[in-house]
Amino acid sequence: MENLIDIKSLFPEEIKEILVREGIEGYRAGQIFSWLYKGADSFEEMTNLSKELRARLGALFYIEKMRGAERLSSRLDETKKYLFTLSDGEYVESVLLSYKHGYSVCLSTQVGCKMGCAFCASTKAGFSRHLKPSEILNQMDWITRDRKKEDPDFRISHVVLMGIGEPLDNYENVIRFLRLVNRKEGFGIGFRNVSLSTCGLVDRIYDLAKEDMPITLSISLHASNDATRSALMPVNRKYPLPQLMQAAKDYTKITGRRISFEYTLIAGVNDSAQNAKELAMLMKGWLNHVNLIPVNPTRETDFRPGSKKNLQEWIRILEKEGVRATLRRTLGADISAACGQLRREKLAE
Ligand code: SAH
């Protein structure tokens, strides 16, 4: 398979270019592209192409496939979690979330993660490799096919890159995925319905600002000062808060888009009233929004969420300072819906 091309990671124009170079009619590219998004796993299924053409395609390209999947359904809500086995036997996870505005998928962008955040299960199992654009797409593809069995009208409307991995550490593949998923002939997901979450790779935030893609950028902040953030998130030693906040402000200036900050509250670590005031100072006076999330306890840490009372106190302090903050609903709590937990369990078996 080494010299075959991963066709699901290509744009129709690129497929066309290869076909034309091979002396095949270029318009076939559009037909092939739509087949890929109708869930074709082989060129054999592309029945409006001649047998001869299908054989030639098979000699040029391969179609990236999942080896299998396990599905967990929450009994508390409509959340479904998928543990996928990739073609080389690696595992990634995705989550399907149901909201009033439609279905949203949370996708993985890497097998594992290098970032080393203290509270995160995805990084504990180590980093294996980047995902190809086709492998990010296949998570959506599989979920769509799975749900369509019960609901023929099922359609994913929102995509969040908040699964396993640091999306901006797999920059080229992630940007390609986002442009592919946006294509009308493919999933047709509008950029405004896409969120990308990063731990704060400042150089890449500037690159992203120049892509001219009106997606929502979400920054995992989780601390209100450098000392705490560096202790929780090693990335902060490379890109400390003043640099990160400047990049965030520049991002909103360049794109006109509001930035969303994730703040995971961990009892006794980052959730004091002083922390709330520090956070308010960072957020005051520019285009942003804060999502507060009680920490999801994982097996390898003793981090615990704080009390409801403390949470209310936080919201009160932030509101008093005019900072927009909301409490994130936790979904799928009974199925380890926080990413990285299933892969971790699987590897431990
Ligand atoms: N690498 C990216 C995206 C993946 S993590 C990022 O850092 O943003 C998705 C979100 O879950 C991030 O905000 C991450 O900090 C958060 N997260 C990780 N472990 C968590 C835990 N145990 N409890 C609550 N949130 C967690």
Side-chain angles (χ1 to χ4, degrees), residues 106 113 115 117 119-122 161-167 196-200 218-222 233 262 264 293-298 301 338-339 341:
C106 177
C113 187
M115 298 298 134
C117 299
F119 42 81
C120 183
S122 295
L161 298 183
M162 273 199 195
I164 296 175
E166 167 48 50
L196 182 154
S197 182
T198 179
C199 63
S218 185
I219 296 181
S220 300
L221 197 64
H222 307 325
M233 302 175 71
E262 310 292 312
T264 294
I293 312 148
V295 71
N296 202 321
T298 61
T301 64
C339 273
Q341 296 189 37

Side-chain angles (χ1 to χ4, degrees), residues 59-328:
L60 289 168
F61 303 103
Y62 73 95
I63 303 176
E64 182 63 48
K65 283 192 272 285
M66 294 288 189
R67 194 188 284 176
E70 286 172 37
R71 192 186 77 196
L72 294 175
S73 299
S74 173
R75 272 167 279 114
L76 305 174
D77 50 60
E78 265 197 80
T79 307
K80 295 191 175 18
K81 177 128 193 185
Y82 294 80
L83 176 72
F84 291 114
T85 311
L86 304 173
S87 53
D88 63 354
E90 294 279 8
Y91 301 109
V92 289
E93 297 168 35
S94 319
V95 186
L96 173 67
L97 300 146
S98 169
Y99 293 101
K100 275 194 236 72
H101 59 249
Y103 287 102
S104 174
V105 282
C106 177
L107 306 177
S108 294
T109 55
Q110 295 179 316
V111 182
C113 187
K114 304 174 196 161
M115 298 298 134
C117 299
F119 42 81
C120 183
S122 295
T123 206
K124 303 285 183 222
F127 173 81
S128 294
R129 63 177 179 83
H130 293 305
L131 291 184
K132 295 178 262 190
S134 54
E135 291 174 312
I136 309 177
L137 276 168
N138 276 349
Q139 299 168 54
M140 283 179 76
D141 214 25
W142 186 292
I143 293 172
T144 304
R145 283 199 251 172
D146 179 52
R147 298 321 300 147
K148 268 189 190 262
K149 283 184 240 155
E150 280 167 38
D151 170 10
D153 297 327
F154 176 86
R155 203 187 152 264
I156 291 167
S157 62
H158 290 69
V159 170
V160 300
L161 298 183
M162 273 199 195
I164 296 175
E166 167 48 50
L168 295 186
D169 185 46
N170 184 14
Y171 190 83
E172 302 298 333
N173 287 347
V174 163
I175 297 295
R176 181 172 273 269
F177 160 76
L178 291 177
R179 295 200 186 283
L180 282 168
V181 88
N182 175 249
R183 286 300 177 102
K184 290 269 178 312
E185 324 89 284
F187 281 101
I189 308 280
F191 286 129
R192 285 171 201 281
N193 288 357
V194 173
S195 297
L196 182 154
S197 182
T198 179
C199 63
L201 301 180
V202 164
D203 297 339
R204 292 313 204 177
I205 291 175
Y206 282 102
D207 291 338
L208 187 64
K210 289 181 219 124
E211 297 284 350
D212 199 21
M213 290 192 311
I215 61 170
T216 299
L217 179 64
S218 185
I219 296 181
S220 300
L221 197 64
H222 307 325
S224 57
N225 58 60
D226 272 323
T228 311
R229 195 164 193 270
S230 291
L232 289 175
M233 302 175 71
V235 68
N236 196 67
R237 292 172 216 153
K238 182 156 184 209
Y239 301 112
L241 277 177
Q243 241 177 295
L244 178 59
M245 297 311 292
Q246 189 57 49
K249 287 175 189 168
D250 290 340
Y251 185 90
T252 64
K253 259 187 235 139
I254 299 167
T255 64
R257 306 278 301 162
R258 172 194 305 266
I259 299 225
S260 162
F261 285 92
E262 310 292 312
Y263 197 108
T264 294
L265 290 155
I266 311 173
V269 174
N270 63 2
D271 72 340
S272 69
Q274 174 63 20
N275 293 139
K277 285 173 200 149
E278 286 171 355
L279 178 64
M281 289 307 122
L282 294 175
M283 296 299 140
K284 254 175 105 154
W286 62 287
L287 201 58
N288 57 53
H289 184 95
V290 177
N291 272 318
L292 299 174
I293 312 148
V295 71
N296 202 321
T298 61
R299 198 185 286 172
E300 36 282 297
T301 64
D302 43 16
F303 291 148
R304 292 291 170 263
S307 66
K308 239 197 180 116
K309 194 165 150 269
N310 191 50
L311 203 69
Q312 279 154 0
E313 173 66 3
W314 260 68
I315 293 182
R316 196 189 61 76
I317 294 172
L318 294 177
E319 276 175 358
K320 196 174 127 226
E321 298 293 342
V323 175
R324 282 162 298 260
T326 44
L327 177 62
R328 167 80 65 80

